[in-house]
Amino acid sequence: MTVPRPSRRSWLLLALLFGIGLLNYLDRQTLSILKATLKGELGLTDIHYSWLVTAFMGPYIVFYIVSGRIVDRFGTRASLAAFTGLWSLANVLSGLASGFGQLAAARALLGAAEPGAFPAIQRVMMTWFPKERRAFAWSLLSPCTTVGAILAPPLVAALTGGWSWHLAFIVPGIAGLALALVWWAADRDPPQFAGEAESVAVPAPLRAILRDRRVWLLLAARALTDPVWYFHLFWLPGYLQERLGVSLPQLGWIGWIPSFVASAAVMATGRTTDFFVARGRSPVRVRVTMFALAAAFAPVGAFTTFAPSVPWALVLISLVAVVCQIWFFGQGLLVADVFPKTSAATIAGLLGAVGASGGLLLNLAAGPLIERAGYVPVFVGLACLHPLAALMLWRAQPRLVAVPSA
């Protein structure tokens, strides 16, 4: 069987997506890195900061759903250019803010525009890469968020120390505006791969999507698994400092390791799954098997609090990060395998909204639970979530395989 090869334009768009994803994560972190600076410059308190986080998270969750519908209706060329341009504009406005109200409004615009990147990426990958090569291409894209997380602290510190905190927002914002224009120019004349149905402009009705039990199955799996990643994202830096004595400079040296290891594992997984799909194996069966194998390592996270040293803690944290990232990566592929392009972005938006909501609820509950009982019950509970989701998908596998992707 001859496997179609992606065009040069496909790889160009993948490189642009990498830059867009990198800026997406870099821009959202700038405020947290500048928290202490802005408290002095703008007279903000911790309460003000919590409101700024809420101003971002509220629209972020809501617009995950809205942006998916926009992508399915207008396509990726216009929608992704608009999303990237709007959140970059929000970053510029953040740098021009002279008070709390202006900064909160800019953060709300950032929260409304940023989630649109991920449903758009879902649609781009389905449009420009054949299913036999999609996993590897997607795995090459996965480190973009890691690179954004690694670059954000030194870049923000350099711009702030060398010039001012304003430019820490404005310079990446201008870069994003330029990237939006390049995307608009590049995303045109998509290919049509043999065996894949032609996409139409009109998206599948939301009511029909929500009646599909397969959608609710994936939403349930996402609700179970995303909180693990959000907990690691928001709580592990503090855990390493408070419980294992890691200093802030040391955290800067080692904090990127779990994400780097996870990205490498995702690229290897993408290559492996493409090997089996290209040889005629059912894509859905390959993805679900990948989920199950990854989930088998999730229980090691329960032993994090018993790690005798920082290196051992990093080993356990990195294994859990690998599990989380393989599931993030694989769920996008599974949506592409099961659902048509006319509904994929909407479903990706629903998954993102459910995952972010679960992460937000967990983080609200984590503080009181950790204060009363410590970290052990939290890590033990989280260690069970991926195996539970894997069992659910494994049992439902025949229902997912039964309907081919359009």
Side-chain angles (χ1 to χ4, degrees), residues 78 113 118 128 151 173 194 207 246 249 316 342 349 353 370 384 396:
F118 301 103
W128 288 90
L151 289 180
R207 202 177 309 172
V246 176
L316 296 175
T342 52
I370 290 171
C384 300

Side-chain angles (χ1 to χ4, degrees), residues 116-127:
F118 301 103
I121 287 172
Q122 175 80 48
R123 184 69 175 259
V124 171
M125 300 305 289
M126 292 179 68
T127 301

Side-chain angles (χ1 to χ4, degrees), residues 134-151:
R134 194 173 288 154
F136 179 63
W138 218 315
S139 72
L140 294 177
L141 180 62
S142 67
C144 68
T145 55
T146 302
V147 176
I150 293 171
L151 289 180

Side-chain angles (χ1 to χ4, degrees), residues 242-270:
E242 296 165 4
R243 298 302 175 95
L244 293 178
V246 176
S247 67
L248 188 58
Q250 288 172 331
L251 186 64
W253 282 104
I254 66 175
W256 57 273
I257 293 175
S259 294
F260 178 82
V261 172
S263 295
V266 165
M267 285 189 280
T269 302

Side-chain angles (χ1 to χ4, degrees), residues 259-388:
S259 294
F260 178 82
V261 172
S263 295
V266 165
M267 285 189 280
T269 302
R271 196 70 169 174
T272 303
T273 56
D274 274 351
F275 174 85
F276 289 109
V277 173
R279 281 153 182 76
R281 301 289 181 89
S282 163
V284 172
R285 294 189 188 280
V286 171
R287 313 307 181 205
V288 174
T289 301
M290 173 186 69
F291 288 145
L293 291 174
F297 291 92
V300 303
F303 299 97
T304 302
T305 55
F306 303 104
S309 63
V310 173
W312 275 109
L314 282 176
V315 169
L316 296 175
I317 292 168
S318 296
L319 283 173
V320 176
V322 167
V323 175
C324 291
Q325 288 301 312
I326 286 177
W327 272 72
F328 276 135
F329 155 74
Q331 286 178 39
L333 291 170
L334 191 57
V335 169
D337 295 331
V338 175
F339 301 100
K341 283 187 280 189
T342 52
S343 60
T346 297
I347 295 169
L350 291 170
L351 291 172
V354 168
S357 299
L360 181 62
L361 291 174
L362 172 69
N363 281 283
L364 289 173
L369 181 58
I370 290 171
E371 283 189 2
R372 294 177 183 176
Y375 280 94
V376 173
V378 178
F379 279 109
V380 171
L382 293 177
C384 300
L385 296 182
H386 279 93
L388 181 59

Side-chain angles (χ1 to χ4, degrees), residues 119-213:
I121 287 172
Q122 175 80 48
R123 184 69 175 259
V124 171
M125 300 305 289
M126 292 179 68
T127 301
W128 288 90
F129 292 91
K131 64 182 180 180
E132 296 87 355
R133 299 185 183 273
R134 194 173 288 154
F136 179 63
W138 218 315
S139 72
L140 294 177
L141 180 62
S142 67
C144 68
T145 55
T146 302
V147 176
I150 293 171
L151 289 180
L155 179 62
V156 170
L159 290 171
T160 303
W163 290 275
S164 73
W165 67 266
H166 301 278
L167 288 183
F169 288 105
I170 293 173
V171 170
I174 293 174
L177 290 171
L179 196 54
L181 292 175
V182 175
W183 179 265
W184 171 263
D187 186 9
R188 53 185 174 82
D189 302 325
Q192 180 63 36
F193 299 113
E196 296 189 14
E198 183 69 34
S199 175
V200 295
V202 179
L206 182 60
R207 202 177 309 172
I209 291 173
L210 293 177
R211 282 200 300 262
D212 192 329
R213 292 184 178 180

